[in-house]
Amino acid sequence: MTNVLRVPKLDLPAILVQQNPQIDLRLDAYETSTRNFLAAVSNYTQHAVTEITKRKNKFHADKKAAAEKAQNIETETTQCKVKEIELISVLDREAEEKKEAEASVAQFRRQLASIKEKCASLDVEIEQHRIVAANLMRERRREHGILNVHAANIMPEMLACEDRLKCWIEGIGPDLTLVRFTHIDPADISREFSLVLDVSEPVIRVPTTTPGLPTLPIILNESSDSNVIIRRVRAAFVELVAQGK
């Protein structure tokens, strides 16, 4: 704490009665007090300047930091706006894709419903075909049974006819019948002569004969009756043997 110079009260009448009146102004003390005051003022000023400079520097640093922070915030804000635009674009695209997907799903559902209806209709048709097939199968079994009965009845007669006529007929494939003859060549009664009948079409064809017959096209042109063809082919075999072939 600064010492304050205390000035004593003057006794002016007592001073004036002196032979050489003098007033002690205490200049040394004043000067000392003044120097102390000026030093205190100088210290205060220096401290104030230092504090002001410190605060100024801090203010400028805070201002720079605030400016940098504001710049960073502005940059981040700009980036956020760009990202927001991109996100909006993505959301719009996803919304469009969702709309297209929903339309596709709706179309697939309609197709599925139509397919289910067709399947139900086909199931009904399949069941109807199964019933028809079962009926046909029963009818075929019945016919097969009848044919077996007829075959059993005529088998002895057929075997007797084949042995008497020396002619054997057998199926060798779908719509193909093999007809074999013996007792045509007197020199070798066991020699076989044969032809194959193809009845897959309305007009009967003869794919092959053994041995080959040059007159076969003429025979086929003259008749399409299988019995007639068999008889005429046998006669052609007889003629062929007579010619020494």
Side-chain angles (χ1 to χ4, degrees):
M1 183 176 181
T2 306
N3 293 328
V4 179
L5 179 62
R6 298 184 180 277
V7 181
K9 295 182 180 181
L10 296 176
D11 188 357
L12 188 57
I15 293 172
L16 292 176
V17 296
Q18 293 178 2
Q19 184 177 358
N20 294 314
Q22 292 181 352
I23 298 175
D24 187 4
L25 297 178
R26 298 184 178 182
L27 294 176
D28 293 338
Y30 175 74
E31 291 177 356
T32 300
S33 176
T34 300
R35 283 195 299 270
N36 292 337
F37 175 74
L38 291 175
V41 170
S42 178
N43 291 334
Y44 176 79
T45 301
Q46 185 66 30
H47 178 73
V49 169
T50 301
E51 185 65 23
I52 290 172
T53 302
K54 181 180 178 182
R55 292 183 179 180
K56 181 179 179 182
N57 293 336
K58 185 177 184 300
F59 172 75
H60 286 302
D62 293 343
K63 182 178 179 182
K64 182 179 180 181
E68 292 177 353
K69 186 176 181 180
Q71 182 64 31
N72 292 335
I73 292 174
E74 184 176 357
T75 302
E76 292 177 357
T77 302
T78 303
Q79 293 176 352
C80 289
K81 288 181 179 179
V82 173
K83 290 182 179 180
E84 181 182 5
I85 294 173
E86 293 176 352
L87 181 59
I88 291 174
S89 177
V90 171
L91 291 175
D92 291 340
R93 185 168 61 253
E94 289 181 351
E96 185 66 24
E97 292 176 353
K98 180 181 178 182
K99 183 178 179 181
E100 293 177 357
E102 289 176 349
S104 299
V105 169
Q107 182 179 0
F108 287 144
R109 287 178 176 174
R110 289 193 295 270
Q111 293 177 352
L112 180 60
S114 176
I115 291 173
K116 286 181 177 179
E117 291 179 358
K118 290 181 180 179
C119 288
S121 176
L122 289 175
D123 288 339
V124 173
E125 292 182 8
I126 289 172
E127 186 60 27
Q128 292 176 350
H129 287 310
R130 285 177 179 174
I131 295 173
V132 172
N135 293 333
L136 290 175
M137 186 63 68
R138 286 194 297 270
E139 183 65 22
R140 176 167 292 184
R141 285 196 296 267
R142 187 182 67 82
E143 293 177 354
H144 186 68
I146 295 173
L147 291 176
N148 286 336
V149 172
H150 287 313
N153 293 330
I154 67 173
M155 183 61 69
E157 297 178 3
M158 185 187 72
L159 293 175
C161 289
E162 287 180 345
D163 183 64
R164 183 176 182 82
L165 298 175
K166 306 304 179 182
C167 173
W168 293 267
I169 300 174
E170 59 182 310
I172 58 174
D175 300 321
L176 294 177
T177 301
L178 173 64
V179 181
R180 295 180 297 116
F181 303 101
T182 60
H183 292 70
I184 291 179
D185 186 354
D188 184 4
I189 60 174
S190 63
R191 178 185 176 187
E192 282 195 357
F193 296 77
S194 64
L195 72 152
V196 175
L197 296 175
D198 184 353
V199 295
S200 60
E201 297 178 1
V203 178
I204 296 177
R205 297 185 302 110
V206 178
T208 181
T209 63
T210 303
L213 288 176
T215 59
L216 180 63
I218 298 174
I219 295 173
L220 296 177
N221 287 333
E222 290 177 348
S223 177
S224 60
D225 184 274
S226 60
N227 293 326
V228 174
I229 292 173
I230 291 172
R231 288 198 304 270
R232 290 184 179 179
V233 167
R234 187 181 188 285
F237 284 146
V238 171
E239 184 177 353
L240 191 66
V241 170
Q243 294 174 358
K245 296 180 181 181

